[in-house]
Amino acid sequence: MRTTVGIIGAGPAGLLLARLLHRTGIDCVVLESRTRAYVERRQRAGMLEQGTVDALRECGAGGRLDAEGMVHHGIELRFEGERHHIDFPGLTGGRTVTIYAQTEIVKDLVALQLADGPTLLFEAEALAVEGPETASPVVRFAHEGNERTLRCDWVVGCDGGHGVARAAFPAGTGRSYAYDHPYSWLGVLADVPPSCEELVYARGTTGFALHSMRSPSVSRLYLQVPNGTDAGDWPDERIWDELAARFEVAGDWRLERGPVTAKSVTPMRSWVHEPMRHGRLLLAGDAAHIVPPTGAKGLNLAVSDVRILARAFAGLHRTGSTELLDRYSRTALERVWQATRFSYDMTRMLHAHPHEDAFERRLQLARLRRITESRSAAAELAANYTGLPLAPRPREAAESRR
Ligand code: RFL
Ligand code: PHB
């Protein structure tokens, strides 16, 4: 097989990139190791920045998103038994966020791709990327019991945190920066209407809890748990009791309980790989960086990477110049590090550290108070949460460094 852009991975990054390239008339092939049913069911993100919504609409995946997505005008911070609303439109000049599950985005993009898009192969596992420094790198992959090759002009690794693309960077050509947070999240999906209208981020006395949602009848909730926790040790009653304790506030708010339909544990990790390109191999999304989900940035970063990348490929297609592709890693990493910083700060501000002392706890409360009492501190949170600009204009970037 031969193509212009070989894409490894049919998560949000790979699928959206394929749509954006297809619209510009650039030929590509997507290889996905799992089945269609598996990728469409994998429970993950839910909170979309405005830029992510716009990108999905632009590529024709806005229909169900506009009909079923829930527009939110802020979030609630809960600590010391108090509730504080952070008003996004008021603090950002009108920006909002949208709740629409990653499972649904993947379903919408897969359907578009199979209807009129370029080739998308499921159960096609990339084994290695060979010759990224040459003019036509090759992806070796296994499909239907055979080993095959995909010869490309460019390869994009959108293969998530455990993919193979990054392994094709020779030793010494890149570097990773990582921090493992000393706690995990137990995520649950429950058949019960959300007990809140907007997302609630709570710093309870025994740790963090988040109340999110998937639809008017399905809630998505998360609890901070120790690393190494087995979800089996958390029967439903224990989950609901702990959530109720962490969300507790003065007044008549109540957490509605219902049947839990899924449970899983996710470690909290901050990790960035630099650069995001080696020769004709580029990385996008979780293949290049992981953030703890407290800032709801992972999916949004995957989308901003591929928007930057799609523009760069369109530039090459139109003018023959690789100038934008040559800048891709630098442009994307500026945004990646801002999201990494924000996600790290939100995580540190809201979780109970296992060895936390009274001093640390006071600092956390001081940070939360600052946000609820200072308009500029709240505006900073709102700007980051709703999404920074895709790429700062060159002059602004230069000025801000002065
Ligand atoms: P994905 O989604 O992991 O997709 C990678 C795809 O590559 C395939 N693959 C291969 N295919 C072929 N050959 C190989 N050798 C392959 N190796 C892997 C995989 O099967 C898969 O289909 O990466 P992508 O596209 O970069 O997307 C990233 C997002 O999935 C991720 O950042 C978000 O889910 C993170 N995240 C959140 N992000 C947000 O923006 N907002 C949120 O509210 C949010 N909440 C979350 C989250 C992640 C969570 N977990 C479970 C980590 C909540 C949680 C609990
Ligand atoms: C989610 O709905 O899954 C979600 C929302 C916000 C976060 C993390 C996860 O910060």
Side-chain angles (χ1 to χ4, degrees), residues 135-158:
S136 49
V138 166
V139 183
R140 266 197 305 114
F141 67 102
H143 186 51
E144 294 173 340
N146 299 313
E147 194 171 311
R148 301 173 63 185
T149 55
L150 174 64
R151 187 166 287 281
C152 317
D153 292 344
W154 300 86
V155 176
V156 185
C158 298

Side-chain angles (χ1 to χ4, degrees), residues 14 21 106 176 260 268:
L21 293 180
V106 168
S176 291
V260 171
M268 301 284 101

Side-chain angles (χ1 to χ4, degrees), residues 87-137:
D87 165 26
F88 290 161
L91 291 161
T92 62
R95 295 171 77 84
T96 57
V97 293
T98 300
I99 296 290
Y100 187 66
Q102 183 167 330
T103 47
E104 307 314 297
I105 295 177
V106 168
K107 281 182 205 159
D108 295 343
L109 290 170
V110 166
L112 283 172
Q113 183 85 2
L114 295 178
D116 75 340
T119 309
L120 160 58
L121 297 180
F122 288 104
E123 296 179 82
E125 184 185 2
L127 305 171
V129 179
E130 289 167 357
E133 305 87 355
T134 68
S136 49

Side-chain angles (χ1 to χ4, degrees), residues 231-306:
D233 291 339
W234 283 81
D236 296 5
E237 273 316 293
R238 182 176 178 203
I239 292 174
W240 288 117
D241 289 347
E242 191 59 33
L243 285 167
R246 294 190 193 178
F247 287 125
E248 196 173 316
V249 273
D252 59 2
W253 186 85
R254 225 171 68 111
L255 178 67
E256 297 301 332
R257 301 180 179 212
V260 171
T261 56
K263 287 178 209 177
S264 62
V265 173
T266 311
M268 301 284 101
R269 178 148 222 250
S270 299
W271 172 83
V272 181
H273 184 272
E274 289 187 359
M276 289 167 64
R277 171 179 172 187
H278 174 68
R280 285 176 172 253
L281 169 63
L282 303 116
L283 302 177
D286 278 16
H289 40 73
I290 307 275
V291 285
T294 326
K297 287 285 161 258
L299 168 63
N300 293 298
L301 270 186
V303 167
S304 56
D305 285 353
V306 301

Side-chain angles (χ1 to χ4, degrees), residues 215-246:
S215 72
S217 58
V218 175
S219 296
R220 176 78 169 146
L221 297 127
Y222 298 97
L223 268 180
Q224 173 188 351
V225 290
N227 281 340
T229 293
D230 178 351
D233 291 339
W234 283 81
D236 296 5
E237 273 316 293
R238 182 176 178 203
I239 292 174
W240 288 117
D241 289 347
E242 191 59 33
L243 285 167
R246 294 190 193 178

Side-chain angles (χ1 to χ4, degrees), residues 44-47 185 199 201 210 212 214 220 222 293-296 385:
R44 285 186 165 183
M47 201 295 293
W185 277 14
L199 268 54
Y201 288 79
L210 168 61
S212 182
R214 288 292 174 265
R220 176 78 169 146
Y222 298 97
T294 326
Y385 195 98

